[in-house]
Amino acid sequence: MAILENIRKRTTVLILIIGLALFAFVISGVFSSNDLGGGKVGSSVAEINGDEISIDQFRRDVEAYSRMAGPTASSMQLVNQVWDRQVRNTILAQQFEELGINIEQDQIINYIKTIPSYVQNPEFHNASGVFDENKFREAVADWKANNPGRYALWLQDEQAIIQNAKEQTYFNLIKAGVGSTLKEGELDYKLANDKVDIKYVRVPYTSIPDSSIAVTKKEIEAYINEHKKDYKQDRSRDLEFVYFEEKASLEDENAVKEEITKLLEDRVEYNAQKDANDTIKGFKGTADMIAFLDRNSDIKYDTIYKAKKDLPAKFADTLMSLEKGDMFGIYRDGDYFKVSKMMDRKANGTVKSSHILISYEGAQRANPEVTRTKEEAEKKAKELLAEAKKAGTVFAELARDNSDGPSAPQGGDLGYNQEGVMVAPFNDFTFSNPVGTIGLVETDFGFHVVKIDDKQDIVRIATLAREIEPSEETINTLFTEATKFEMETTSDKDFAVAAKESNFVVRPVNKIKEMDENLPGLSAQRAIVQWAFNEDTKLGEVKRFNINNGYAVVRLTAKYAEGLMSVEDASALVLPKLRKEKKAAQIIEANKGKTMESFAKDNNVIASTASALTMKSPIIPGAGSEAFVVGTAFAMDQGATSGLIKGDSGVYMLTVTKKEEAAKLDNYSTYANNLQASAAGRVNFAVYNALKEASTIEDKRATFY
């Protein structure tokens, strides 16, 4: 009975297992036959429309994402990415089940044929170099038998392929029902092309000071209740903190400088084994720079020659001007003190060049659309060479218009390259000729019209560097300060007062959400967020947290419950709207029955004009978007004058000076088709968002992360 009851629950895990089972039945008789179900499901991380999401499977997915994302993604970024994917897959899976959407073998194969990583893989190609589904099946069967790791990766892809193929089918069904009539096309055309000219007077709302408009708490509360959907809030918290950053003191910096200074000169050290003094060469005179920097520098010796652009920007000019053997420093570069020594220089060691590539059919990496022969390519290249050498020709424009290479949009610019980077014929030409030379070079890629734009020296520089770090004494002092501040503010002393007495800066953080991770000024601090949302953490409570580069003493200043915003929380949003409403009413009441001339004169404004206004672009110059005002103008007859109109930026009165209907077309199918294409393009995004909005989602991530 327990098993039957579990089946009845129709969990998302079960849905995915059914999907995989369908795939196995349809196509994985060749690809796979393993049992992917089973295992006791632990606690759920979410419930979506009644379907529970297993925390066990969720954690496995996060781990898999972690392996793909690498070390740059934070743990919460991974959790949120998996969450978004899981919510989407579950909601859509429920739709697939309700509609009975399944995927047949030919649909899966056809979907695989749209994935470049599969289609372009030679492993799945036949003798003609074309993707062969039979070769693909054989490869999967071979992975299963002989390569478990590769097969496991395929099983992950298999799930994604099933999901994506079902999504494609589902959204295509919806798109098939999206259409636009010729009448809708005609309306779209008229909205964009019917025009109206107006003369208008506008009294802006800014003409009445905000301070003169009284808005009561009851009015704000009534407005919120009338617009509940716009003033919903999630659970959130406000914090304030003082950051105690572990950074080097002036004494620490001077100590690092002193260490570097000692390493510059030779020094004498007693050698107990020899019972004699040894002279240890310093940075200035060492004959083995690699070994010296390995022992004494926080940045090792880089023997690669570098161009000016590869050197620290602030010091590049100075470093490039050094003669061989010269030194520069001590200088500060970021978190390091450095001394640099010029070891060697290669004159004109890097060349900046541009080219126009004329490829031909069969040339290396030639675009499949290129059909010219090699002879035709050579002829065209020679013609372009002659053109490029003419006085007044702009080489970059010639390259943009004619080059087959990927650098065409950049005017053929290839940037700076050191010797040996480019293919041999290209390399030899650019390094053997002076700046300004234009010539023709043939490579396996085609024919190149090459221009040598610039040449620069490259240098090899040795740098003795020491990182500027806080000393143990500095770190201990910081810990003492942070602990003392925490103890003071945990007792009766006010947080802001205590901070001010010690010249500490208090930083506020407002409306953090339960699944947030980054705090402004502190970066990723998930532990602080969890503490703030812990039910045992009381309002006003203070706690010290160890963070990457020091300590943060944090105080919880506000708690916000999920639901409708309070008057205090919403007032900043509602006040401008209510003030605008009251200003509009005040202006209209004061100017009832006036002509346009008296309306302008009495309010010290002048009449203006606006021409060629359309419904699709209801922008009034100097006033901004005014859809209601422009719409009113279109509803009026030419020569008619309106009453007072409440606009977005002020109260208007207008006269329609000209109305111009767009020329009638024989057929509006182009506009209807554009509307249909636009609507179809929004289907995937709009439909999923609508489904998500209508779903009941219980998010329990904060319990586990």
Side-chain angles (χ1 to χ4, degrees):
M1 289 299 292
I3 294 173
L4 290 174
E5 182 61 26
N6 282 334
I7 291 173
R8 289 191 189 102
K9 288 180 181 176
R10 189 172 58 81
T11 65
T12 302
V13 175
L14 184 58
I15 292 171
L16 293 174
I17 292 170
I18 291 171
L20 291 171
L22 286 170
F23 184 79
F25 175 78
V26 172
I27 192 167
S28 290
V30 175
F31 295 170
S32 61
S33 60
N34 63 315
D35 178 13
L36 292 177
K40 184 178 179 180
V41 178
S43 302
S44 65
V45 70
E47 188 173 311
I48 303 172
N49 297 326
D51 287 346
E52 291 187 342
I53 308 300
S54 162
I55 183 59
D56 302 325
Q57 182 60 50
F58 191 86
R59 282 172 172 156
R60 286 192 289 271
D61 289 345
V62 171
E63 186 178 346
Y65 258 63
S66 176
R67 288 194 294 270
M68 289 187 292
T72 55
S74 72
S75 59
M76 287 309 299
Q77 286 175 328
L78 295 169
V79 167
N80 292 335
Q81 287 172 10
V82 172
W83 169 260
D84 291 339
R85 187 193 69 166
Q86 185 67 74
V87 170
R88 178 185 174 86
N89 287 356
T90 302
I91 290 173
L92 291 176
Q94 291 166 348
Q95 293 293 303
F96 302 156
E97 183 179 6
E98 186 174 338
L99 296 173
I101 293 176
N102 291 320
I103 302 301
E104 302 297 333
Q105 176 177 349
D106 58 340
Q107 291 173 282
I108 296 171
I109 285 294
N110 287 338
Y111 191 83
I112 289 172
K113 288 178 180 178
T114 67
I115 305 174
S117 59
Y118 285 102
V119 176
Q120 297 173 8
N121 191 335
E123 190 176 2
F124 312 134
H125 290 178
N126 57 25
S128 302
V130 177
F131 177 83
D132 187 326
E133 62 186 75
N134 292 322
K135 296 279 285 185
F136 177 64
R137 295 170 187 271
E138 291 169 7
V140 174
D142 181 65
W143 298 339
K144 182 179 180 182
N146 304 309
N147 192 340
R150 181 76 183 275
Y151 185 63
L153 290 175
W154 156 248
L155 291 179
Q156 291 179 13
D157 279 358
E158 189 178 45
Q159 291 185 47
I161 288 168
I162 294 168
Q163 178 71 16
N164 291 338
K166 285 185 176 181
E167 285 187 22
Q168 190 178 71
T169 300
Y170 175 70
F171 289 124
N172 284 343
L173 286 171
I174 297 173
K175 288 175 184 177
V178 173
S180 292
T181 65
L182 290 176
K183 208 66 182 171
E184 289 172 318
E186 181 181 0
L187 175 61
D188 188 60
Y189 169 75
K190 288 178 70 62
L191 290 175
N193 293 282
D194 284 356
K195 295 181 174 64
V196 65
D197 296 353
I198 62 172
K199 179 181 179 181
Y200 69 93
V201 171
R202 177 179 70 112
V203 176
Y205 298 131
T206 53
S207 63
I208 301 176
D210 286 351
S211 58
S212 68
I213 303 297
V215 178
T216 67
K217 186 175 179 180
K218 283 188 176 181
E219 287 174 321
I220 296 174
E221 186 176 10
Y223 187 90
I224 295 169
N225 288 325
E226 289 172 7
H227 303 83
K228 290 182 178 180
K229 188 177 179 181
D230 297 330
Y231 296 97
K232 290 180 179 177
Q233 67 178 10
D234 297 325
R235 289 182 72 204
S236 60
R237 299 288 185 265
D238 286 353
L239 306 170
E240 61 182 5
F241 69 89
V242 172
Y243 178 32
F244 296 84
E245 184 182 6
E246 280 186 359
K247 61 181 181 181
S249 65
L250 180 61
E251 290 76 14
D252 297 334
E253 292 183 11
N254 290 334
V256 175
K257 284 183 181 179
E258 188 176 340
E259 288 177 10
I260 290 181
T261 302
K262 289 178 180 178
L263 289 168
L264 297 178
E265 306 293 343
D266 297 348
R267 66 185 187 277
V268 176
E269 289 186 1
Y270 174 71
N271 188 324
Q273 291 179 336
K274 296 179 181 179
D275 191 22
N277 290 331
D278 285 343
T279 299
I280 309 298
K281 287 290 185 181
F283 181 69
K284 288 181 179 178
T286 181
D288 189 349
M289 186 61 76
I290 294 176
F292 180 87
L293 294 181
D294 277 345
R295 289 193 307 269
N296 299 296
S297 178
D298 290 333
I299 298 176
K300 305 310 175 189
Y301 186 27
D302 187 352
T303 58
I304 296 173
Y305 284 84
K306 294 183 178 180
K308 180 180 176 180
K309 67 180 179 62
D310 301 317
L311 301 176
K314 188 176 179 180
F315 307 101
D317 288 334
T318 302
L319 293 171
M320 287 298 295
S321 67
L322 296 175
E323 297 294 333
K324 188 174 179 179
D326 286 353
M327 290 174 40
F328 169 63
I330 300 172
Y331 63 95
R332 180 165 186 163
D333 183 19
D335 292 329
Y336 292 86
F337 280 125
K338 296 179 176 180
V339 178
S340 295
K341 182 178 182 181
M342 178 66 72
M343 302 299 291
D344 195 19
R345 177 188 297 272
K346 285 185 181 179
N348 298 327
T350 182
V351 176
K352 185 178 187 291
S353 60
S354 304
H355 79 141
I356 304 169
L357 171 63
I358 307 300
S359 60
Y360 53 84
E361 189 173 11
Q364 191 171 335
R365 297 184 195 169
N367 191 312
E369 296 177 3
V370 174
T371 57
R372 70 172 70 92
T373 64
K374 183 175 182 179
E375 291 73 19
E376 290 170 336
E378 184 176 14
K379 181 182 177 182
K380 182 174 181 180
K382 287 179 178 178
E383 291 172 354
L384 289 169
L385 174 64
E387 182 69 23
K389 288 185 174 182
K390 288 180 181 178
T393 297
V394 179
F395 191 90
E397 292 179 1
L398 206 62
R400 271 194 293 269
D401 296 339
N402 296 279
S403 181
D404 295 325
S407 64
Q410 290 79 46
D413 186 5
L414 297 172
Y416 285 92
N417 291 284
Q418 293 188 29
E419 194 160 6
V421 172
M422 311 298 279
V423 292
F426 199 105
N427 180 85
D428 294 345
F429 177 83
T430 54
F431 279 91
S432 301
N433 290 285
V435 173
T437 302
I438 300 175
L440 187 64
V441 176
E442 181 184 354
T443 72
D444 292 339
F445 299 96
F447 294 92
H448 308 255
V449 179
V450 183
K451 180 174 181 287
I452 302 173
D453 298 311
D454 189 26
K455 292 189 176 186
Q456 289 185 0
D457 293 356
I458 54 175
V459 295
R460 191 170 67 196
I461 293 177
T463 297
L464 171 62
R466 283 292 178 91
E467 189 172 3
I468 304 166
E469 296 179 306
S471 64
E472 186 174 347
E473 181 182 352
T474 299
I475 293 172
N476 290 340
T477 301
L478 188 74
F479 174 76
T480 302
E481 288 180 347
T483 304
K484 180 184 176 184
F485 181 71
E486 178 193 18
M487 292 174 67
E488 287 178 345
T489 53
T490 302
S491 59
D492 295 334
K493 201 162 193 178
D494 181 83
F495 196 87
V497 171
K500 187 176 181 180
E501 287 177 355
S502 300
N503 292 321
F504 298 149
V505 177
V506 178
R507 306 182 191 181
V509 181
N510 297 323
K511 296 293 180 70
I512 60 170
K513 303 292 192 301
E514 197 166 11
M515 290 307 297
D516 283 349
E517 177 183 29
N518 293 316
L519 300 181
L522 294 178
S523 66
Q525 297 300 332
R526 182 63 188 155
I528 295 177
V529 177
Q530 288 175 313
W531 168 79
F533 279 90
N534 191 312
E535 295 302 327
D536 294 333
T537 304
K538 296 179 176 59
L539 201 61
E541 190 169 330
V542 175
K543 185 174 180 180
R544 173 175 53 83
F545 291 86
N546 296 352
I547 57 179
N548 291 337
N549 296 306
Y551 310 94
V553 179
V554 186
R555 188 172 84 95
L556 179 62
T557 57
K559 293 184 177 184
Y560 304 93
E562 183 178 7
L564 197 62
M565 296 173 72
S566 67
V567 172
E568 290 76 15
D569 297 335
S571 61
L573 301 172
V574 175
L575 268 174
K577 296 180 180 180
L578 290 178
R579 283 184 182 134
K580 184 187 287 188
E581 292 286 336
K582 290 194 170 193
K583 288 179 182 182
Q586 186 174 313
I587 294 170
I588 291 171
E589 181 62 29
N591 293 279
K592 279 182 179 178
K594 291 183 179 179
T595 64
M596 187 182 292
E597 290 74 16
S598 60
F599 180 51
K601 182 180 179 181
D602 293 348
N603 289 279
N604 199 29
V605 294
I606 60 173
S608 302
T609 60
S611 303
L613 301 175
T614 69
M615 289 289 285
K616 263 206 167 180
S617 181
I619 308 296
I620 298 178
S625 180
E626 289 286 6
F628 184 74
V629 176
V630 175
T632 301
F634 271 98
M636 295 165 58
D637 294 328
Q638 184 169 317
T641 299
S642 73
L644 296 171
I645 306 168
K646 183 173 70 175
D648 192 60
S649 63
V651 173
Y652 290 76
M653 183 179 288
L654 61 87
T655 297
V656 176
T657 56
K658 182 181 177 183
K659 292 186 77 172
E660 182 182 348
E661 286 194 19
K664 293 187 181 296
L665 303 180
D666 293 335
N667 191 293
Y668 296 94
S669 58
T670 299
Y671 289 88
N673 292 338
N674 288 341
L675 283 175
Q676 182 172 337
S678 177
R682 295 192 300 268
V683 161
N684 293 29
F685 179 79
V687 169
Y688 169 67
N689 281 345
L691 291 170
K692 185 179 177 183
E693 181 71 22
S695 295
T696 302
I697 302 173
E698 185 180 355
D699 184 355
K700 306 176 187 175
R701 283 177 293 165
T703 306
F704 303 96
Y705 296 97

